[in-house]
Amino acid sequence: MSTSFFVAADWLAEHINDPEVQIIDARMAPPGQEDRDMAAEYREGHLPDAIFFDIEALSDHTTPLPHMMPRPEAFAVAMRELGVCSDKHLVVYDEGNLFSAPRAWWMLRTFGAQKVSILAGGLAGWKRDGLLLEQGNVDMVEGEFEVKFNSQVIKRLTDVLLVSHEGTAQIVDARPAPRFNAEVDEPRPGLRRGHIPGAHNVPWGDLVFSGELKTVDELTEIFTRAGVSLKRPIVASCGSGVTAAVVVLALATLGATDVTLYDGAWSEWGARDDLPVAPVK
């Protein structure tokens, strides 16, 4: 295991019937694949008793921005209805690309769940090991989810504008380099090319190997090469707040303590004509 935030497939298989362990399926379609029916894919095959954690459905729909954090009360109600218990060991997985599981991991922790792990290798690794899958929906009794919302880990646009202007923290953008460098269009229509002035680029895919994080030494080298200091405050960003959580996970692994996430991300910043963008054309 690359970090203490992960559990191995063989460990989970041994604890599959442990009443103190709950499995959460957090698969999510990446940008450009929104026509995929993730709920249907979940029903076609998921880990035994895995609850479907639909990041899109669980987001705040009072805003036009994608995947924004919901109100704490709304999240608590949704978790209880799904049967999620905040005091259990929650094991989250995605397709096996480590694309969306870190966002679910971050959401659950931000809303007060104490023990949240990610399944190393995700669904792909589980299948590769020939382990048991189930089909259909999973109905759980109502869960007990006590929200303890940590609002301090979320940054808003005004916070990030100040950080960009004054350099009081480092902005780390998890988007692929061609998007960061304004070489290609964004997958979401209507957004400008480029990045927040002063941001460092650490593409989330560079941090991942076979559905888990790379080694601590490799992660350290990646952030160092990007000019990011683990001793200074860091604000993680990306396209819509999802892969920024991969950066948060990697930084937590390295022991960075002052890490926040810009939830509006480029979907918000890039849609505004009144905000500065780099590189300047």
Side-chain angles (χ1 to χ4, degrees):
M1 293 300 87
S2 54
T3 90
S4 59
F5 297 119
F6 288 82
V7 296
D10 56 359
W11 181 92
L12 187 56
E14 290 173 8
H15 292 81
I16 206 77
N17 295 315
D18 186 337
E20 293 305 309
V21 174
Q22 281 194 304
I23 305 174
I24 293 177
D25 185 314
R27 279 179 278 176
M28 180 183 187
Q33 299 182 30
E34 286 87 357
D35 57 342
R36 288 173 60 185
D37 187 340
M38 301 311 295
E41 291 186 30
Y42 160 80
R43 290 190 294 270
E44 288 168 8
H46 54 76
L47 270 65
D49 286 335
I51 299 162
F52 186 47
F53 187 99
D54 188 337
I55 291 171
E56 178 57 46
L58 291 167
S59 299
D60 181 1
H61 293 286
T62 65
T63 168
L65 297 171
H67 318 133
M68 294 292 283
M69 285 285 264
R71 289 180 298 104
E73 310 79 40
F75 187 81
V77 169
M79 291 301 99
R80 290 171 192 145
E81 290 177 348
L82 286 173
V84 179
C85 297
S86 55
D87 62 345
K88 292 190 176 182
H89 183 181
L90 308 178
V91 179
V92 182
Y93 70 90
D94 56 25
E95 291 187 283
N97 48 7
L98 206 64
F99 167 69
S100 54
R103 173 70 184 193
W105 167 87
W106 179 78
M107 289 175 71
L108 288 161
R109 284 163 52 97
T110 300
F111 283 121
Q114 295 295 310
K115 196 168 187 183
V116 189
S117 302
I118 296 172
L119 174 62
L123 181 64
W126 187 266
K127 287 180 175 178
R128 201 161 48 241
D129 290 346
L131 296 166
L132 182 66
L133 290 175
E134 288 182 350
Q135 293 183 320
N137 288 317
V138 172
D139 293 318
M140 293 282 186
V141 298
E142 184 169 307
E144 296 181 9
F145 199 97
E146 182 185 356
V147 162
K148 297 177 181 176
F149 179 48
N150 181 9
S151 62
Q152 300 303 308
V153 300
I154 301 173
K155 293 296 185 189
R156 305 300 180 192
L157 187 147
T158 50
D159 303 321
V160 180
L161 184 61
L162 193 64
V163 164
S164 172
H165 181 67
E166 298 187 351
T168 49
Q170 304 159 101
I171 301 168
V172 175
D173 190 324
R175 291 176 300 153
R179 288 166 60 189
F180 180 85
N181 292 321
E183 295 164 356
V184 298
D185 286 336
E186 286 293 304
R188 292 180 180 83
L191 301 182
R192 293 186 291 169
R193 291 186 180 191
H195 60 263
I196 301 168
H200 304 259
N201 189 208
V202 179
W204 74 274
D206 292 356
L207 304 170
V208 175
F209 180 76
S210 293
E212 57 185 302
L213 292 175
K214 291 180 178 178
T215 67
V216 166
D217 287 347
E218 289 172 313
L219 296 177
T220 301
E221 200 273 331
I222 289 167
F223 283 106
T224 301
R225 191 171 63 236
V228 179
S229 168
L230 303 184
K231 296 179 180 179
R232 293 189 59 227
I234 297 170
V235 181
S237 184
C238 61
S240 68
V242 174
T243 56
V246 181
V247 169
V248 174
L249 177 67
L251 290 167
T253 298
L254 296 177
T257 56
D258 192 346
V259 180
T260 53
L261 188 148
Y262 171 29
D263 209 26
W266 194 251
S267 293
E268 181 175 37
W269 193 284
R272 296 270 298 260
D273 291 330
D274 59 338
L275 294 174
V277 168
V280 178
K281 296 294 186 181

